[in-house]
Amino acid sequence: MIEILHHGAVSGVTGSCHELRLSKADIGARGVSPRRDRPRSQIGCQNPQATKGADPLGSDPTLLPAPDSHLGILIDCGLFQGQEDKQRVNAGDLAIDFSITHIRALVVTHVHIDHVGRIPYLLAAGFDGPIICSEPSAIMLPEILEDALKIGFTRDRSLINRVLDLIRARIVPVPYGQWHEVFNEGECSLSVRLQRAGHILGSAYVECDARAGNYDERVVFSGDLGAPHSPLLPEPVSPERADRLVIESTYGDKDHEDRETRRYRLKQVLEHALADGGTVLVPAFSIGRTQELLYEIEGLIAEFGGFWSQLEIVVDSPLAAEFTKIYRDLKPFWDAEARALVKAGRHPLSFEQLTVINSHEDHLNAVEYLAKSHRPCVVLAGSGMCAGGRVVNYLKAMLGDARNDVLFVGYQAAGTPGRDILTYGPRGGWVELDGERYDIRAQVHQVGGYSAHAGQSDLLRFVEGIPDAPKQIRVVHGDDDAKRALQAQLKPMVPGTEVLVPH
Ligand SMILES: [Zn+2]
């Protein structure tokens, strides 16, 4: 039996975490048999010794077959960001609340925190298998987890270093397009192949060839898919086969503007700054959007020159700066257009007008300087949903001035200040930051295409491109409305396919 499980939905505070489970029981049984684990109480444990080698579910034989009767892999182990995040009361909620004694490996689709943020908790629960990911992800994963550990896990530097060493030792980089055997134990075997997902550098969708007895199946986990025509990265190509598909649906209910339209809108916002010496504040995630935007802004400056070369670009985030450097170092993974620019002598991610701010003191100085200066400037600072990070200081200093613009380029989860600014800003409303109200006089814009996520049509095209329609599609990872909307579009498109929204 080959099952797909979705972990973490019970507590509602976790990001992506799926399992592909092969059971030695019922060998020979054919057909899809989706089953979801029943809700359980919190049983996670911070002490590896406490769970290692024992099934934390206990010995009740009615719950599950004996622990050695199945084998599995996890696909991602993420931390949810957004509204539900506020309900989090303690780290115990983030502990791994499912059995992992049979888990042979973790496959990471990409290094966004909602896909990797719980890896430290997985290790704490006793997971000792390999962490399989693409070659760029292997470089970026310790960087992003170091940041996550500092913020949410511990301030103990030596503990952070120990966890990072552990993670580095477990990482197994696998080149795109190459099969990698995860296990082959008696009647059960499983191999995975990573394919470019075009979402952020290193992102992959995962093809799994699973065999349990005389039953075999190709299961594909999309991870997050990128939009076609994104700057920098090649677009994803549909899988050649998928008997079952688990697909993300962050933007399952809407389409983005095409690249020309959003480039034009970006140009308009920047022209506003150029005209009156205002600041364009872009709350941006460190990985993906920041680099895409730098790439587009460099392109605009190169195209229009003259007045445009006055525009200053500030990346105020040590992490974003670090990832921009990694993006720069990994040019072989860029798309043909970006590589052609480099060949022509351009430097899309390290141009003259670009300043990087690292220290907190420089950050505070920049906020003060920009609030008073009348020089046109673009500031990229995290967090992307304005729920913390350096962008908050900029917002406090700049929201009240009509010369300024706030440009959202990413998804804004309900309950975040980002969503409130987007909703109330255009009506002349206010937003609460650190317990205080700030009136919004700055212009507020949203340009969808830099979100690094595929839109609804892109997701449908991804499915349509699979030569034989999957027998089952599971729509995951998005607001309920987005999941339902994508489900409604998929059903008539692949009438013979069971289209599920798992809970
Ligand atoms: Zn992502």
Side-chain angles (χ1 to χ4, degrees), residues 109-115 199-200 203 223-225 248 250 287 289 451-453 477:
T109 62
H110 66 289
V111 303
H112 274 151
I113 212 74
D114 57 338
H115 293 257
H199 170 56
I200 60 167
S203 64
D224 284 352
L225 294 169
E248 69 123 336
T250 310
I287 318 166
R289 295 178 183 94
S451 68
H453 276 278
H477 203 62

Side-chain angles (χ1 to χ4, degrees), residues 79 103 171 175 434 448 463 501:
L79 184 62
I103 298 296
I171 290 176
D434 292 336
V463 174
V501 177

Side-chain angles (χ1 to χ4, degrees), residues 4-7 15-20 73-77 103 106 115 221 223 246 476-477:
I4 301 168
L5 296 97
H6 309 282
H7 294 301
S16 264
C17 185
H18 312 291
E19 180 185 340
L20 189 61
I73 58 168
L74 293 180
I75 288 87
D76 291 336
C77 196
I103 298 296
L106 165 69
H115 293 257
F221 294 85
V246 177
V476 297
H477 203 62

Side-chain angles (χ1 to χ4, degrees), residues 11-333:
S11 62
V13 294
T14 58
S16 264
C17 185
H18 312 291
E19 180 185 340
L20 189 61
R21 182 183 290 181
L22 283 57
S23 297
K24 293 173 193 169
D26 304 326
I27 276 175
R30 297 194 75 88
V32 178
S33 50
R35 180 176 68 83
R36 199 170 65 78
D37 274 357
R38 48 195 272 188
R40 299 183 199 112
S41 57
Q42 300 292 340
I43 49 167
C45 185
Q46 303 292 315
N47 176 359
Q49 265 67 46
T51 48
K52 183 90 177 70
D55 184 349
L57 288 173
S59 56
D60 183 352
T62 60
L63 272 180
L64 282 174
D68 63 350
S69 69
H70 48 255
L71 298 167
I73 58 168
L74 293 180
I75 288 87
D76 291 336
C77 196
L79 184 62
F80 189 86
Q81 293 179 305
Q83 190 174 30
E84 280 112 307
D85 194 42
K86 285 186 173 169
Q87 296 161 4
R88 194 167 76 216
V89 284
N90 58 50
D93 288 347
L94 299 175
I96 300 300
D97 58 354
F98 50 89
S99 171
I100 60 162
T101 48
H102 62 288
I103 298 296
R104 291 293 188 268
L106 165 69
V107 183
V108 166
T109 62
H110 66 289
V111 303
H112 274 151
I113 212 74
D114 57 338
H115 293 257
V116 300
R118 282 214 298 174
I119 290 178
Y121 297 88
L122 189 63
L123 296 174
F127 170 72
D128 59 3
I131 301 171
I132 296 166
C133 62
S134 72
E135 293 167 302
S137 290
I139 295 169
M140 294 191 286
L141 184 60
E143 301 285 339
I144 191 82
L145 287 178
E146 178 173 0
D147 199 63
L149 285 166
K150 275 191 273 188
I151 294 166
F153 203 70
T154 175
R155 294 217 166 102
D156 181 343
R157 188 69 235 179
S158 69
L159 181 59
I160 288 176
N161 287 339
R162 279 210 304 281
V163 175
L164 289 175
D165 285 346
L166 204 58
I167 289 164
R168 283 196 191 93
R170 299 284 173 74
I171 290 176
V172 177
V174 175
Y176 285 119
Q178 220 170 80
W179 283 106
H180 175 87
E181 186 175 84
V182 182
F183 58 78
N184 188 348
E185 299 178 24
E187 306 104 335
C188 294
S189 67
L190 194 143
S191 296
V192 296
R193 184 167 68 172
L194 305 178
Q195 301 284 12
R196 287 164 177 268
H199 170 56
I200 60 167
L201 190 68
S203 64
Y205 67 81
V206 188
E207 301 173 299
C208 305
D209 264 357
R211 180 181 56 83
N214 57 6
Y215 183 56
D216 65 83
E217 198 183 356
R218 170 83 55 91
V219 182
V220 176
F221 294 85
S222 76
D224 284 352
L225 294 169
H229 316 299
S230 297
L232 276 169
L233 298 176
E235 62 186 291
V237 175
S238 303
E240 60 188 23
R241 180 186 155 198
D243 301 320
R244 279 193 280 177
L245 170 68
V246 177
I247 191 166
E248 69 123 336
S249 90
T250 310
Y251 284 95
D253 55 348
K254 50 175 101 58
D255 275 329
H256 306 305
E257 293 119 310
D258 61 43
R259 184 164 170 196
E260 268 319 299
T261 311
R262 66 187 192 242
R263 191 168 183 268
Y264 176 72
R265 291 192 49 206
L266 175 67
K267 180 171 172 267
Q268 282 184 315
V269 178
L270 298 184
E271 278 169 346
H272 179 218
L274 283 165
D276 62 10
T279 296
V280 178
L281 187 56
V282 188
F285 288 101
S286 314
I287 318 166
R289 295 178 183 94
T290 298
Q291 292 76 26
E292 285 186 15
L293 273 164
L294 292 177
Y295 181 90
E296 289 289 64
I297 293 168
E298 190 272 345
L300 289 166
I301 293 172
E303 185 176 341
F304 297 105
F307 196 43
W308 276 77
S309 38
Q310 289 183 20
L311 194 64
E312 275 187 85
I313 324 296
V314 174
V315 173
D316 189 347
S317 156
L319 194 62
E322 181 61 34
F323 282 108
T324 305
K325 184 180 171 300
I326 293 173
Y327 260 71
R328 266 199 313 262
D329 292 347
L330 294 174
K331 292 189 182 75
F333 294 94

